[in-house]
Amino acid sequence: MVYLQELYENYKVSGDLQMTLEATSLRLAEGLEHAGDMVRIVFSEPETNLVMSLINTGQNQKLLQNIPNRPFQDLSIVYRYVTSMDSGVCLLFW
């Protein structure tokens, strides 16, 4: 998961769009390197990195049609899998 606000803040400080885009692409590439390991980890150790999140049900109707979820009051519990938390990048999958 890449937080655009953080990238924008870095751009505002540096003023260098090219550097910001290059740094972003490197962070994304690092995250994708771990994606290949995800299948192995999910099936061998599913409980290790499984996290639950609460999201707004009304604002996420389309998403909730395609992912596992459970209602909780006026919210929905969704399940994500953390594959990496290196270098300030937290790579999550639904």
Side-chain angles (χ1 to χ4, degrees):
M1 183 174 287
V2 175
Y3 296 100
L4 296 179
Q5 184 64 35
E6 178 184 329
L7 298 173
Y8 178 64
E9 296 299 327
N10 290 341
Y11 169 70
K12 286 191 330 188
V13 170
S14 71
D16 187 341
L17 181 59
Q18 184 67 33
M19 182 184 74
T20 302
L21 292 174
E22 287 175 6
T24 302
S25 67
L26 288 173
R27 291 174 74 181
L28 289 171
E30 287 175 5
L32 290 174
E33 285 178 16
H34 298 286
D37 295 331
M38 185 182 127
V39 173
R40 178 187 54 80
I41 294 169
V42 167
F43 290 107
S44 65
E45 307 166 0
E47 68 284 346
T48 305
N49 295 329
L50 188 64
V51 295
M52 293 180 281
S53 301
L54 288 173
I55 63 172
N56 185 293
T57 301
Q59 294 176 351
N60 294 286
Q61 285 296 313
K62 188 173 181 179
L63 173 67
L64 292 170
Q65 292 173 7
N66 299 309
I67 63 170
N69 66 84
R70 291 191 316 189
F72 179 76
Q73 297 180 12
D74 63 338
L75 302 170
S76 291
I77 301 171
V78 295
Y79 307 90
R80 298 179 184 186
Y81 196 82
V82 180
T83 61
S84 172
M85 292 186 68
D86 301 344
S87 306
V89 176
C90 181
L91 188 57
L92 296 170
F93 287 92
W94 294 102

